[in-house]
Amino acid sequence: MKSIPKLIRRFIGILLLSSVLLIVLNFILLAVYASSQAPNAHPWKTAEEVAENLHQDSKGYVLSDDITLELKNSDVWAIFIDNSIMQVVWQTDNLPETVPMSYTISDIASLTRGYIDGYPTFTGEAENGLVVLGYPKDSFWKHMWPSWDYQLIANLPKTVLSVLVINVTLIFIIYVIANSKLLKSVKPIVNALQALPTEEPVYIKEKGLLSELAMSINKTSEILQSQSRQLRRKETARANWIAGVSHDIRTPLSMVMGYSGQLKEDIHLTDDVRQKATVIVKQSERMKNLINDLNLASKLEYNMQPINPTRENMIAIVRQVVVDFMNMDIDDKYPIEWETNEALMCCPINADKDLIKRAISNLIQNSINHNERGCKIYVNVTIENEECSVVVSDNGVGATNEQITKLNNSPHYMVCDKNITEQRHGLGLLIVKQIIAAHSGTTTIGHSSHGGFSVELTLPVQK
């Protein structure tokens, strides 16, 4: 069952892709969120800029206007602690009253890594002292003890990767457990869908997540089974009807042919009556052949005609049929030209000789029936690519492209032209197709290279 593993692989692929995309998206959102949380993205750098731009003149320390404006806009206060006296010698106007004005070495160490009265502080080294910036409370969180175990840092990539693998594995396990019932429900449904085209009866237990779908499939199977039974009954009835009608017609038809034959030969009747009797005999013969063809076509269609294949020489079979037709053509109205290469002596096939002769006879008779003014018939047997090919063609009236297409693709018995009193290229060709198909061959109908009608039969060569 290839569909179930494919479906599972698809689910797993979607799960893994979703997990990876979710992790990447989380990292991106974390980075965007972190960057948006800082009103001044570089407080340490800003402290260094303040230290560089703070200058001493005759009046004291002065900070440039642009840096002063930047601090004011960010609500940041600043002080400058002199190295020698450890006291604040310069400050901004917005300095909170709670900020001390003198410091010890320990105070300097504390504010460098932490806070002054809850204000996160950042330092910048000046020439004679230390610049301290104080940002609004709750604007930054400072890690007070920034020390890490070395092995933890060294193994951080491996640790992160392991955590990711564990997370993905846990997600996968949860996903499989949560969808196990769904996967169990999918398998019988897939099996049922594959069984429907084979006309096998299908039933799925109508429970679980896909119970409605199972119910629909069961109903579809019941409908198909019902239609199949009805179709088999119709086919059986049609086959029995054809066989019954064929049998029932034979007896009265034999009587009609017998009495009309006697009338045709009765010298005491007028020529007009004898001529009508001749027409009756001819049409009765056609009716008899049509009934035989109809019965044979029905048997071949429903595999009721026994086929007894033996090793035969196709060239010998075709030559015998051609000779029989040449002997019947007393007026030489339908001359047959044997185009087969004389060097080709044998074309071995595994076939029922009588059925193959019937197929070749039908093709030659087809050319005769549809060319009342006469025509030349060409017969050719060849071997190519492990296939034996027989082509029967003529230089008669032929057929249109539309008729050729219908003859190659039409599933019904016959195709009629405007003259509804004559069947055109119909039941005889159907029997040919059925006989060749029963021998695992193909039939191709087309235009003759001689300007008329052509049929090619292809059968596998018997090794």
Side-chain angles (χ1 to χ4, degrees), residues 92-149:
T92 57
D93 296 336
N94 59 344
L95 181 68
E97 296 180 356
T98 57
V99 175
M101 300 303 292
S102 62
Y103 296 87
T104 64
I105 295 178
S106 60
D107 293 334
I108 297 297
S110 177
L111 68 87
T112 300
R113 68 180 186 182
Y115 305 81
I116 296 179
D117 193 29
Y119 295 95
T121 53
F122 301 89
T123 59
E125 184 179 355
E127 182 178 355
N128 298 318
L130 183 67
V131 171
V132 179
L133 300 185
Y135 281 78
K137 295 180 179 180
D138 299 329
S139 61
F140 289 98
W141 178 82
K142 298 183 69 177
H143 186 40
M144 300 292 290
W145 298 276
S147 60
W148 301 89
D149 183 82

Side-chain angles (χ1 to χ4, degrees), residues 143-386:
H143 186 40
M144 300 292 290
W145 298 276
S147 60
W148 301 89
D149 183 82
Y150 180 81
Q151 293 299 323
L152 175 65
I153 301 301
N155 297 325
L156 186 60
K158 187 184 299 184
T159 303
V160 172
L161 182 60
S162 299
V163 171
L164 289 177
V165 171
I166 293 173
N167 287 333
V168 171
T169 303
L170 289 175
I171 294 174
F172 173 73
I173 293 174
I174 296 172
Y175 178 83
V176 171
I177 294 175
N179 291 279
S180 58
K181 290 185 178 180
L182 176 62
L183 294 176
K184 290 180 180 179
S185 301
V186 168
K187 184 175 181 179
I189 288 177
V190 173
N191 292 335
L193 291 175
Q194 291 179 339
L196 284 178
T198 64
E199 298 184 357
E200 296 180 4
V202 171
Y203 178 76
I204 310 173
K205 293 182 179 180
E206 299 174 359
K207 64 179 184 178
L209 299 174
L210 303 177
S211 58
E212 294 183 358
L213 181 58
M215 185 183 302
S216 299
I217 293 176
N218 290 337
K219 289 183 179 179
T220 302
S221 177
E222 292 176 1
I223 294 173
L224 291 177
Q225 291 299 312
S226 176
Q227 292 177 345
S228 179
R229 287 191 295 269
Q230 293 177 6
L231 181 60
R232 284 195 294 268
R233 285 197 294 266
K234 289 180 180 178
E235 290 177 348
T236 302
R238 184 173 70 167
N240 292 337
W241 182 83
I242 292 174
V245 170
S246 299
H247 180 270
D248 293 341
I249 290 179
R250 283 194 181 96
T251 300
L253 185 61
S254 298
M255 295 177 64
V256 172
M257 294 179 65
Y259 288 140
S260 61
Q262 293 177 12
L263 293 175
K264 184 181 71 171
E265 301 297 334
D266 192 345
I267 60 176
H268 300 291
L269 298 177
T270 63
D271 291 339
D272 183 57
V273 174
R274 293 173 62 190
Q275 183 64 31
K276 292 180 179 178
T278 301
V279 173
I280 294 175
V281 172
K282 181 179 179 181
Q283 295 301 323
S284 298
E285 187 67 29
R286 287 189 61 202
M287 188 181 300
K288 178 182 178 182
N289 293 334
L290 179 60
I291 292 172
N292 291 335
D293 286 347
L294 187 62
N295 198 30
L296 177 59
S298 178
K299 289 182 178 180
L300 289 171
E301 182 176 359
Y302 299 110
N303 297 320
M304 299 169 60
Q305 173 66 35
I307 298 178
N308 303 307
T310 57
R311 186 179 178 86
E312 302 288 346
N313 182 2
M314 188 63 152
I315 296 178
I317 296 176
V318 177
R319 184 183 282 115
Q320 182 178 350
V321 175
V322 169
V323 171
D324 292 341
F325 273 92
M326 292 176 68
N327 292 333
M328 290 188 297
D329 187 20
I330 300 176
D331 299 331
D332 199 24
K333 189 177 179 180
Y334 300 97
I336 301 178
E337 182 172 330
W338 182 254
E339 292 187 324
T340 304
N341 189 346
E342 295 298 332
L344 184 61
M345 303 299 296
C346 182
C347 184
I349 61 171
N350 189 37
D352 188 313
K353 182 178 179 180
D354 293 334
L355 289 178
I356 295 298
K357 288 178 64 177
R358 179 66 179 275
I360 304 300
S361 299
N362 280 10
L363 294 182
I364 297 177
Q365 189 64 47
N366 187 73
S367 294
I368 295 174
N369 292 341
H370 305 128
N371 294 282
E372 296 180 355
R373 297 182 179 180
C375 68
K376 193 170 186 178
I377 301 173
Y378 304 87
V379 179
N380 184 22
V381 183
T382 58
I383 296 180
E384 186 176 359
N385 298 328
E386 303 296 330

Side-chain angles (χ1 to χ4, degrees), residues 363 366 390-393 429 432 443-446 453-457:
L363 294 182
N366 187 73
V390 180
V391 179
V392 178
S393 57
L429 289 179
V432 172
T443 303
T444 305
I445 301 172
F453 193 73
S454 174
V455 180
E456 180 180 3
L457 310 180

Side-chain angles (χ1 to χ4, degrees), residues 402-414:
E402 182 180 359
Q403 289 175 325
I404 295 295
T405 301
K406 289 182 178 179
L407 289 169
N408 278 311
N409 302 289
S410 179
H412 49 74
Y413 281 173
M414 52 199 70

